[in-house]
């Protein structure tokens, strides 16, 4: 089974941002047009599908730095897919996380759930946008735009399950890290030579949202409906018990009224008898 | 000709209480209704579709469902802000009368409560019976406080980290379901059960309750009122 993944060689990356520009050109032309017309402030999320930043470790004079690439990690256990209420966020059979924009209602639950800030609510298309590994290109045998354009061949894309692929070999070498292993992402970062694995992880590791905030939502929904069902059943029971008690009281009242009436009739009858006598 | 003491009407609900209660009810119903598609798109997707079709006149080009949900979100947030404002105004207004609060008194016994609701028998209660006191502190206060704080975090999510926002979303969901459970119980106990019907009339119309009702259902309060109003049996 194909599992698409990417290795980003931080040792080779020049920080030229050609990948960012290629991504915009390939996937975000509408947004780019708007930015050209109205300025970057109108489309602040323009480059957020994939972006890079310089990270530094240590203090002068012993400072190390690298260029970190931010991109959807295409998690195997994707919290964004889990929380999507409409099924717009989904995982393809080859492991790529995509958004069906016709189903997306823009609730941004996935934005909150994503531990990597890889999803953006795009004001231009009024939907969620994210890296797709250029799925439309991959399906016709091309590489993602960012991979194709990289002058240093720092981004490598391919089938992680294929032992003959370059990405498989790079991952198998072992000198790679992931931002988070918890969600079994498919983007690996090759450690630059000046860093150890631990140092790089210290730089790029992010605090993850509590599992209760993502997985727990299903629990809340499940328990919530059970609670609603129970309270409805209890309420119906309360109404029935009340009605039974009301009728019982009515019957008692009617009975005592009848008895009182009988008593009155008896007394009246005996009075009449006396009068007749 | 003067009325018998039992025929007298007593103000049980102030204008502010009725206003806050009724408008929180409206806002919660509307705000919750427009977000029903989040619970089940197949059942409630028509709400989003309807809003999206209306709004599509002004925002052509985008998916009807996406636009519809954005409109729903605006409505939900307006309702949320409305509830926060009403609850805050009411809470601040009530602080000055804190010594007179009956909602912090026990108001009767649990045995009496069970007898009253299950057997339909008389029990001695204050203005709020123990069930009403419990409902206020277990449902109303936590739901309003949690939903308001987490709602504000979700509106201004840019100012918070992903951890906080995720947790806020989780707690907002919890508050919704807790509120729904409490709401169902509130409607059943307050509206459907015949014991409290006059209170419904007071809440939505007059604000007044007959003394005979108070004597029968809130006898401890009746004793207080008797002294206050100088009534004789």
């Amino acid at each position: 089974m194909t599992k698409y993944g990417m290795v980003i060689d931080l040792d080779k990356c020049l920080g030229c941002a050609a990948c960012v520009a290629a991504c915009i050109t390939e996937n975000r032309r509408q947004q780019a047009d708007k930015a050209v017309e109205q300025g970057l402030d109108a489309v602040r999320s323009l480059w957020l599908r994939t972006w890079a930043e310089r990270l530094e470790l240590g203090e002068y004079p012993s400072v190390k730095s690298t260029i970190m690439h931010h991109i959807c990690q295409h998690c195997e256990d994707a919290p964004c897919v889990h929380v999507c209420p409409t099924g717009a966020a989904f995982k393809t059979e080859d492991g790529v996380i995509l958004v069906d924009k016709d189903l997306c209602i823009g609730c941004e639950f996935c934005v909150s759930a994503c531990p990597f800030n890889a999803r953006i609510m795009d004001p231009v298309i009024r939907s969620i946008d994210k890296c797709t590994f250029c799925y439309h290109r991959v399906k016709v045998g091309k590489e993602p735009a960012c991979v194709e354009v990289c002058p240093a061949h720092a981004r490598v894309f391919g089938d992680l399950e294929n032992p003959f692929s370059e990405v498989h070999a790079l991952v198998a070498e072992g000198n790679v890290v992931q931002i988070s292993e918890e969600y079994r992402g498919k983007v690996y970062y090759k450690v630059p030579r000046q860093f150890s694995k631990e140092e790089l992880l210290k730089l790029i590791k992010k605090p993850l949202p509590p599992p209760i905030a993502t997985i727990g939502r299903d629990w809340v929904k499940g328990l919530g409906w059970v609670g609603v069902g129970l309270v409805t059943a209890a309420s119906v029971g309360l109404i029935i018990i009340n009605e039974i008690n009301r009728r019982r009281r009515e019957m008692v009242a009617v009975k005592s009224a009848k008895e009182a009436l009988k008593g009155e009739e008896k007394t009246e009858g005996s009075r009449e008898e006396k009068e007749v006598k | 000709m003067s009325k018998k003491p039992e025929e007298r009407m007593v103000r049980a609900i102030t204008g502010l209480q009725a206003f806050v209660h009724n408008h929180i009810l409206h806002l919660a119903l509307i705000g919750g209704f427009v977000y029903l598609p989040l619970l089940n798109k197949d059942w409630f997707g028509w709400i989003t579709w309807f809003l999206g079709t209306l709004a599509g006149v002004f925002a052509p080009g985008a998916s009807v469902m996406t636009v519809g949900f954005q409109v729903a979100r605006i409505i939900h947030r307006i309702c949320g802000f409305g509830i926060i404002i009403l609850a805050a105004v009411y809470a601040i207004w009530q602080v000055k009368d804190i010594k007179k609060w009956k909602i912090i008194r026990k108001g009767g016994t649990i045995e009496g409560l069970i007898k009253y609701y299950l057997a339909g028998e008389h029990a001695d209660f204050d203005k709020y019976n123990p069930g009403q006191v419990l409902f206020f502190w277990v449902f109303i206060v936590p739901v309003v406080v949690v939903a308001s704080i987490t709602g504000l975090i979700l509106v201004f999510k840019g100012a918070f980290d992903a951890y906080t926002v995720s947790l806020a979303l989780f707690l907002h969901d919890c508050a919704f379901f807790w509120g729904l459970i409490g709401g169902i119980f509130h409607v059943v106990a307050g509206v459907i059960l015949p014991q409290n019907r006059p209170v419904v009339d007071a809440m939505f119309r007059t604000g007044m309750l007959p003394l005979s009702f108070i004597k029968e259902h809130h006898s401890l309060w009746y004793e207080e009122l008797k002294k206050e109003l100088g009534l004789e049996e």
Side-chain angles (χ1 to χ4, degrees):
Chain A
M1 177 71 81
T2 308
K3 282 281 174 232
Y4 288 121
M6 186 180 279
V7 175
I8 302 173
D9 189 338
L10 300 182
D11 217 15
K12 285 184 179 172
C13 177
L14 308 166
C16 66
C19 50
V20 180
C23 180
I24 293 169
T25 312
E26 182 68 31
N27 299 300
R28 294 175 67 75
R29 288 205 186 171
Q30 207 181 334
Q31 293 86 337
D33 286 345
K34 190 170 178 185
V36 169
E37 284 168 19
Q38 299 174 17
L40 271 178
D41 276 348
V43 198
R44 297 192 72 85
S45 61
L46 180 64
W47 57 84
L48 290 183
R49 213 165 134 140
T50 180
W51 58 287
E53 64 173 336
R54 180 170 288 282
L55 296 178
E56 291 172 358
L57 185 71
E59 282 180 19
Y60 179 83
S62 53
V63 183
K64 299 171 180 181
S65 83
T66 187
I67 307 287
M68 177 60 189
H69 291 233
H70 295 277
I71 186 171
C72 171
Q73 304 290 303
H74 295 274
C75 308
E76 201 53 28
D77 304 320
C80 54
V81 173
H82 198 77
V83 297
C84 180
T86 66
F90 67 102
K91 188 171 74 179
T92 65
E93 57 182 12
D94 29 29
V96 181
I97 306 294
L98 299 177
V99 178
D100 183 336
K101 293 194 170 70
D102 288 329
L103 287 179
C104 177
I105 56 173
C107 65
E108 295 184 51
F109 285 174
C110 56
V111 177
S112 305
C114 176
F116 312 107
N117 296 328
R119 288 176 163 255
I120 37 175
M121 179 62 198
D122 192 303
V124 179
I125 58 169
R126 295 192 191 90
S127 177
I128 295 296
D129 202 13
K130 66 177 285 295
C131 163
T132 57
F133 273 163
C134 287
Y135 201 63
H136 58 289
R137 288 171 61 93
V138 172
K139 280 288 126 184
V140 294
K142 291 181 183 174
E143 288 186 314
C146 58
V147 174
E148 192 180 78
V149 80
C150 181
H153 193 52
R155 287 194 179 203
V156 183
F157 178 80
D159 181 5
L160 291 165
E161 299 284 306
N162 179 0
F164 302 107
S165 71
E166 194 180 352
V167 279
H168 184 276
L170 286 167
V171 173
E173 270 177 24
N175 194 28
V176 290
V177 295
Q178 287 181 287
I179 298 182
S180 164
E181 289 172 358
E182 286 90 337
Y183 299 111
R184 300 195 290 145
K186 293 186 219 55
V187 175
Y188 294 83
Y189 296 88
K190 193 169 177 200
V191 184
R193 72 192 76 173
Q194 69 273 29
F195 283 87
S196 67
K197 265 189 188 179
E198 291 70 31
E199 283 174 333
L200 184 64
L201 278 173
K202 196 176 159 190
L203 264 185
I204 66 173
K205 196 103 176 156
K206 287 184 176 172
L208 298 176
I212 199 168
T214 49
I215 311 304
R217 299 200 73 218
D218 272 357
W219 275 79
V220 176
K221 266 193 186 179
L223 277 176
W225 286 127
V226 169
V228 169
L230 284 176
V231 81
T232 308
S235 301
V236 171
L238 195 63
I239 293 166
I240 292 169
I241 290 170
N242 250 273
E243 188 58 21
I244 291 169
N245 280 323
R246 191 184 63 79
R247 288 187 184 186
R248 202 186 60 195
R249 279 198 307 276
E250 265 180 18
M251 280 166 70
V252 169
V254 169
K255 203 177 165 186
S256 56
K258 274 182 183 170
E259 277 172 6
L261 205 66
K262 268 184 190 172
E264 267 179 29
E265 277 172 2
K266 255 187 188 175
T267 346
E268 265 183 32
S270 58
R271 200 189 300 151
E272 278 171 8
E273 270 176 24
K274 275 181 188 172
E275 279 174 6
V276 170
K277 276 179 185 175
Chain B
M1 208 170 76
S2 66
K3 283 182 176 178
K4 285 181 186 174
E6 277 72 16
E7 286 171 1
R8 278 185 68 168
M9 301 292 277
V10 172
R11 178 155 295 282
I13 293 158
T14 64
L16 181 71
Q17 280 173 331
F19 182 86
V20 168
H21 173 272
N22 299 344
H23 289 298
I24 282 185
L25 174 68
H26 298 147
L27 293 170
L29 284 177
I30 296 168
F33 179 76
V34 294
Y35 261 27
L36 284 177
L38 284 182
L39 290 179
N40 192 317
K41 185 177 148 274
D42 295 332
W43 292 359
F44 305 112
W46 60 271
I47 299 168
T48 315
W49 177 86
F50 177 73
L51 293 172
T53 307
L54 283 183
V57 178
F58 306 102
S63 147
V64 172
M65 295 303 271
T66 309
V67 173
F69 191 76
Q70 300 311 310
V71 175
R73 168 177 288 179
I74 293 167
I75 295 171
H76 186 83
R77 287 180 177 180
I78 290 171
C79 293
F81 275 116
I83 290 172
I84 291 172
I85 291 166
L86 284 172
V89 167
Y90 184 68
I92 293 165
W93 192 257
Q94 291 297 309
V95 167
K96 65 180 174 55
D97 296 329
I98 196 161
K99 283 183 183 167
K100 292 184 199 162
W101 281 10
K102 284 180 177 287
I103 202 72
I104 51 177
R105 296 188 201 166
K106 196 178 165 195
T109 61
I110 300 295
E111 294 79 32
L113 193 71
I114 294 166
K115 208 167 72 173
Y116 178 76
Y117 279 111
L118 291 183
E121 291 171 14
H122 173 84
D124 291 326
F125 294 136
D126 204 338
K127 184 175 181 182
Y128 302 109
N129 69 38
Q132 291 166 322
V133 173
L134 204 67
F135 181 82
F136 180 79
W137 292 108
V138 172
F139 284 102
I140 298 178
V141 173
V143 167
V144 171
V145 170
V146 173
S148 302
I149 294 171
T150 54
L152 286 172
I153 291 172
L154 292 172
V155 171
F156 301 107
K157 65 173 81 166
F160 299 92
D161 58 32
Y163 186 100
T164 312
V165 173
S166 304
L167 202 60
L169 197 55
F170 171 75
L171 293 174
H172 206 70
D173 285 353
C174 292
F176 166 74
F177 277 107
W178 196 235
L180 191 60
I181 289 168
I184 292 170
F185 193 73
H186 184 57
V187 169
V188 170
V191 180
I192 298 177
L193 292 187
Q195 288 97 316
N196 296 320
R197 293 263 169 81
V199 184
V200 179
D201 202 39
M203 180 58 85
F204 291 100
R205 290 179 190 161
T206 59
M208 310 291 272
L209 277 176
L211 260 180
S212 55
F213 172 84
I214 296 171
K215 188 181 178 183
E216 193 187 338
H217 297 271
H218 300 272
S219 48
L220 300 178
W221 184 32
Y222 177 74
E223 293 303 319
E224 269 183 43
L225 284 174
K226 248 171 53 176
K227 282 178 202 162
E228 269 179 39
L229 303 172
L231 299 175
E232 284 176 17
E233 284 290 348

